[in-house]
Amino acid sequence: MKRRIELIDVAKAVTIFLVILGHTTGNLETPMYRRVLYSFHMPLFFLLAGLSIKPAILHSFIEWRRFFKKNILAIVVPFVIWGLIYAPFSVPNLGNLFYGSWKSLVDMGTLSSLWYLSCLFVARIFVQIIMNLFARCKNSVLTPCFVLSGVVMNLIAFLLPHIEGGYPWCADVAFMAAGWILFGIAFRLQVLIFAQQRTLVLILSFIASLVLFYFGTIFRGDSLDLSLMCNGVYGNKFWFIYNSVFGSLVVLIFSMLICRVARESAHPFSVDAITYIGKRTLGIFLIHKNILWLLLMPLANAIFPENTNALLIAFIASVFALGLSILGCMVIEKYIPQLLGQFPREYYKKEEK
């Protein structure tokens, strides 16, 4: 069984909460906290996917078939099922679903966040092709090769012409996503080593990253664009990369501090509840949005006075949305885990026979 890394699961838990918080407003609303979150949270999600991957070269047709089967079951099956759950069945809707862009999902009236799955599927293929290209490289040069490849993929995403309806299966955005997955693969070892630094070093690094991120976001005020990676809209490209880097560092180092405090403080505590969330980010991602929009935000706006801080309302609603989404995941995992791309281990073993 693949051994999970506690730090990465903690970071995923923090990130999924930030995703929920960013979804507390409508698609056309641009409060400062939403612009700040959207400046980095999706690149961070793909970076964490890369940190979870160990490079593996596929040598044969059977290995490639196994790769596609695994990713179809884990990504494409939930994409199709949830796409049809959230929208009425019709031939036009099927066309929109299998086109797979964010815009086609919006036109279909289904969960627009499903773009993440179509994009991830294509990005995983891009990344695997690149890993195979470097199959004969020495380990000492793999990191710079992956970093350079990530930069090239980001440049391609920036240079591709924007299409109103989006590219099939978010292929344009998948270049950007693949770039951040490659960064995660490249720096995986360095991140895990840095997590072992002294607590003071981690605290100072967190403060420095937070200050640099502040200057790239809140300090810029109204000039901070709303980056919609889902639609290939990045705003100012320099600031998009800048904020993606330092926003990701803030979350990663914050997660390192959580693990450190849990392990070495005067009153140690378990992070099992946090890692439990981190292991279920896909399910939470698929469930939370409608809970927010149809139940919690209308309820919160009805309960709190009109002059209540919008971020406070959003934070409280996000906490409850996270809790309800976890309960939903528990039910789905118990009765229909296939909805979350989880299939019995024996199902994969058939491919190996």
Side-chain angles (χ1 to χ4, degrees), residues 1-73:
M1 183 178 179
K2 183 180 177 182
R3 182 174 176 269
R4 299 186 69 102
I5 298 173
E6 181 182 80
L7 167 63
I8 297 175
D9 282 331
V10 170
K12 285 182 176 180
V14 174
T15 305
I16 194 63
F17 181 77
L18 297 179
V19 169
I20 296 172
L21 188 60
H23 284 161
T24 52
T25 65
N27 286 331
L28 299 179
E29 297 177 49
T30 57
M32 174 57 76
Y33 74 86
R34 186 178 185 226
R35 284 181 283 148
V36 170
L37 293 172
Y38 273 58
S39 72
F40 77 99
H41 74 325
M42 289 316 301
L44 172 58
F45 234 134
F46 290 111
L47 178 75
L48 291 173
L51 288 171
S52 305
I53 295 173
K54 283 188 176 181
I57 310 304
L58 305 181
H59 297 284
S60 66
F61 173 78
I62 292 177
E63 288 177 330
W64 274 103
R65 186 174 65 183
R66 191 179 301 141
F67 167 82
F68 275 103
K69 179 177 181 179
K70 177 182 177 182
N71 283 280
I72 288 171
L73 292 176

Side-chain angles (χ1 to χ4, degrees), residues 70-227:
K70 177 182 177 182
N71 283 280
I72 288 171
L73 292 176
I75 301 173
V76 179
V77 169
F79 171 81
V80 173
I81 292 176
W82 287 95
L84 294 175
I85 286 175
Y86 280 113
F89 179 84
S90 70
V91 173
N93 275 351
L94 277 179
N96 281 322
L97 179 63
F98 286 106
Y99 190 80
S101 72
W102 174 78
K103 183 64 167 58
S104 70
L105 295 171
V106 170
D107 292 342
M108 178 183 174
T110 189
L111 181 68
S112 59
S113 300
L114 288 171
W115 75 269
Y116 170 74
L117 293 181
S118 56
C119 177
L120 178 62
F121 180 72
V122 177
R124 285 289 288 114
I125 296 172
F126 288 165
V127 168
Q128 190 58 55
I129 291 172
I130 290 172
M131 288 196 291
N132 266 43
L133 288 176
F134 296 130
R136 297 185 179 181
C137 292
K138 295 180 180 179
N139 289 336
S140 58
V141 300
L142 278 178
T143 294
C145 285
F146 287 144
V147 172
L148 180 60
S149 298
V151 171
V152 170
M153 298 299 269
N154 277 200
L155 288 174
I156 292 173
F158 284 148
L159 294 173
L160 283 173
H162 185 74
I163 297 177
E164 185 62 30
Y167 286 69
W169 280 72
C170 296
D172 56 333
V173 186
F175 281 101
M176 180 64 68
W180 286 91
I181 293 174
L182 286 165
F183 293 150
I185 294 172
F187 294 115
R188 183 176 189 268
L189 182 59
Q190 288 83 348
V191 167
L192 297 179
I193 291 174
F194 186 78
Q196 306 307 313
Q197 291 283 348
R198 290 182 299 167
T199 303
L200 179 60
V201 173
L202 293 180
I203 292 173
L204 292 176
S205 301
F206 174 73
I207 293 171
S209 299
L210 190 61
V211 169
L212 289 167
F213 180 62
Y214 172 85
F215 277 107
T217 53
I218 298 172
F219 181 78
R220 293 175 56 223
D222 291 339
S223 64
L224 175 63
D225 300 312
L226 177 65
S227 300

